[in-house]
Structure formats: structure tokens, C-alpha cells
Amino acid sequence: MKKKVAISIGDLNGIGIQLALENHNTLVKEISPLYCIDNTMLTQAAKKLNITIPDDFITIENIAQSFEIEAGVVSADSGTYAYASFVKAVELARENKVDAICTLPIHKKAWELAGIKYKGHTDALRDFFNAEAIMMLGCEKMYVALFTEHIPLKKVAQSINEKDLTRFLVDFYKTARPTSTVAVLGLNPHAGDDGVLGDEETIIQRAIDNANASLRQAQGTVAKPTEIYSDPLVPDVAFTPNVRKNYTHYIAMYHDQGLAPLKALYFDEGINVSLNLPILRTSVDHGTAFDIAYKNTNLNSLSYINAIKYIVTN
């Protein structure tokens, strides 16, 4: 039985709709997709792309007000539609009408222009479900979860506290279900060098110890702490080939600490997964690519296809 998946269409001034149309015939072999876009906007986009709409491309009416697609333009209209498409997909999942949702890329500024208070999908999902959603990105070879996400770098250190990081580590392990030790990155250069370059690692270590103890107790095991979470790793060597041999899952303290190496290694195939929610949500791990939207560019679809594959296998 194929899983039913609601696909929010993202910013229609970007590449999302091209990905949806071009990969539909591949995806229907694995899932039953339901696209959160109405026929008026779909027809307009397909005409601009010169792509024939597949006969079994199932859509939903009354998403939001129609507007004129402007390739590569950040607009309130496109932001409004993208958000409405996302909300519809979440609604379908909440009502158990679909098994999961997959989100195509939005533009955060377009959401802001539309008066939407959220910075992105994950922020919204936390509010929708009153849950501490966890952002995990990557592929089968390497996943990276982010303790802090879209905040200024100057606020990262003050955001690291024992209580919140302990909860994060416990929730991550329970929902990501890694099968081997999870690598935790320190915050400072050299992981602080025993306090010479910063002392946040002492907080991180306490949270690790707490999480290891809690998880071992829940599992009824006396396994060593390092068999669940590692001690804080030196960030600048954590992603070297020899270290990566030991880990498939990493916890980064801030956005670029984890995503810069991940995207350098696996940009084309990475996906975004929202953990610790009552619904399953995946997404492509790239943006709207306004610079190539509606220009008959040959798109790399691997991230989108992998986002769907994750749903199929989880």
C-alpha cells in the first residue's frame, strides 16, 4: 500500500513547481502524492515552464488568492500562497488524510512580506503542535541535527544551557533512532581546550551525561555513556574522513557549524527532516533558486527524491 503524501508547493516564483511536475511520474511509483496547489496556479506555472501536466497530478482547490507568477521575484503574494499551501498540507496530516508531508522550498523574506510571523517551516510546526521540533538535515551517509537554528551567531553561546540541551539530546535519540553512537560537537575551537578557549563544553558535557543516564535507564541497560552520545568533539576535526568512519549522526551547536560541512560533502542529496512531532515532515535541503526559476534549467532532483524516500522507509 503506497503512502499518501501531501506536498506543499513552496514559493511559486521559484523552482519548486518544476521539481514537482518533472518528478511526478517517478514519485507515483513509490507514493500517492497530493499537491497543495489549485488548478489555476498549476496551469499558469506549467504554461510558463512549457511542461505538460500529468493526468494523475492531483491538486486541491481554494488554497489562497491567485496571483501572477513572477520568476525570481520575492513577493507577498507568493509568500502568502506558499504559507497557505504548507498549512493545508499540515491540516491533511493532522486529520490523518495523508501519512506524511513533504515541503518544497519557501522564501523566508516572502513569508515576512506576507505578514507571516514564522521564519520557516520548523518554527511554524513547533507552534502548530506545541512541540519541540528538531531540525535534522543530511542523507543516509551523514545526518546533522541542530541545537540552535536560525538565530544570530552572537546569541548561540548564551542559548546553550544544561536543561534544554539535555531535553534535546533525549528527544533526538528517541525520534531519530540512530543505531550507533551519536557525535556531539563542542562549541569552541579545540572544544575549549579545558576552558582555555571557553567553558561552554562543561555545560555540553553535563547535558550529555544527563541524556546518557536517562536513556540507559529507559533502556534498562548499563552501557557506557559513550555508547549513546560522545563527549564533546573538537569541531574542526569532527567531519574529517577518519572521524566520520565512526558516526552517522551529529549534533551541532549552531546552524553553520553543522551545515557547512554537511553541504560541502552531500549538498545535492541532503534532505531536511522535522523530528519530535506527531506528524512526519521532510523537505528538500535547498532554497527557491530564484536565479534559475522558469529558465528551462536542468534541475538536480536528488534532494527531492530522497525526501520522498525517507517517508517511504520511515
Side-chain angles (χ1 to χ4, degrees):
M1 191 74 175
K2 295 179 186 176
K3 289 185 176 180
K4 295 180 180 178
V5 180
I7 298 175
S8 68
I9 213 63
D11 196 302
L12 284 169
N13 288 344
I15 63 169
I17 186 60
Q18 182 180 347
L19 284 170
L21 286 166
E22 290 182 342
N23 290 282
H24 173 76
N25 291 334
T26 298
L27 297 190
V28 292
K29 297 174 184 177
E30 303 289 337
I31 63 168
S32 296
L34 176 58
Y35 299 94
C36 297
I37 182 174
D38 62 72
N39 279 320
T40 298
M41 295 306 297
L42 175 62
T43 301
Q44 182 189 162
K47 184 177 181 180
K48 287 179 179 288
L49 290 164
N50 195 28
I51 295 177
T52 302
I53 301 171
D55 292 336
D56 57 350
F57 199 94
I58 302 175
T59 60
I60 299 176
E61 293 303 304
N62 302 316
I63 298 293
Q65 182 68 40
S66 299
F67 66 97
E68 182 65 28
I69 293 172
E70 298 179 271
V73 173
V74 181
S75 77
D77 287 339
S78 65
T80 297
Y81 199 98
Y83 179 70
S85 176
F86 168 59
V87 169
K88 174 56 70 173
V90 172
E91 177 186 312
L92 292 168
R94 192 194 292 270
E95 295 174 355
N96 295 316
K97 293 180 180 178
V98 296
D99 299 297
I101 69 173
C102 181
T103 57
L104 288 168
I106 63 162
H107 196 289
K108 291 179 174 59
K109 187 64 178 180
W111 272 27
E112 181 183 285
L113 292 175
I116 296 158
K117 65 179 180 179
Y118 306 113
K119 293 180 179 179
H121 293 116
T122 310
D123 288 344
L125 288 166
R126 288 192 181 103
D127 197 21
F128 293 169
F129 292 101
N130 191 27
E132 295 291 346
I134 294 172
M135 183 184 293
M136 182 179 78
L137 303 100
C139 58
E140 287 186 359
K141 299 170 187 174
M142 186 174 83
Y143 284 107
V144 177
L146 305 178
F147 176 59
T148 65
E149 299 162 7
H150 299 126
I151 65 172
L153 187 58
K154 64 183 179 181
K155 294 185 178 180
V156 171
Q158 67 195 58
S159 299
I160 296 175
N161 64 81
E162 184 178 345
K163 179 181 178 182
D164 289 341
L165 184 54
T166 297
R167 174 196 52 74
F168 179 95
L169 294 174
V170 170
D171 288 346
F172 175 80
Y173 192 83
K174 289 180 178 178
T175 54
R177 301 187 298 276
T179 57
S180 59
T181 303
V182 179
V184 181
L185 303 183
L187 174 69
N188 298 295
H190 304 185
D193 258 350
D194 293 324
V196 175
L197 302 177
D199 60 3
E200 284 79 13
E201 281 69 26
T202 61
I203 301 172
I204 296 170
Q205 184 66 66
R206 290 200 300 270
I208 290 170
D209 293 342
N210 295 341
N212 282 331
S214 175
L215 291 166
R216 290 199 313 277
Q217 183 177 20
Q219 295 170 351
T221 177
V222 292
K224 295 179 181 179
T226 52
E227 292 178 356
I228 300 174
Y229 281 108
S230 76
D231 291 340
L233 298 182
V234 174
D236 67 357
V237 298
F239 296 97
T240 56
N242 280 336
V243 177
R244 293 205 317 273
K245 291 177 183 177
N246 301 312
Y247 305 107
T248 57
H249 291 70
Y250 287 77
I251 306 296
M253 292 300 109
Y254 61 93
H255 187 279
D256 289 8
Q257 183 190 47
L259 297 195
L262 173 65
K263 292 187 178 184
L265 291 164
Y266 303 116
F267 179 74
D268 289 336
E269 56 195 292
I271 67 171
N272 186 337
V273 182
S274 295
L275 300 172
N276 205 36
L277 290 172
I279 68 168
L280 175 57
R281 175 257 173 170
T282 67
S283 177
V284 295
D285 184 21
H286 60 73
T288 52
F290 278 172
D291 57 321
I292 58 173
Y294 297 89
K295 293 183 178 179
N296 297 314
T297 303
N298 185 21
L299 302 180
N300 187 320
S301 303
L302 191 53
S303 179
Y304 180 39
I305 292 171
N306 284 348
I308 296 298
K309 285 183 177 178
Y310 187 95
I311 291 172
V312 172
T313 56
N314 284 271

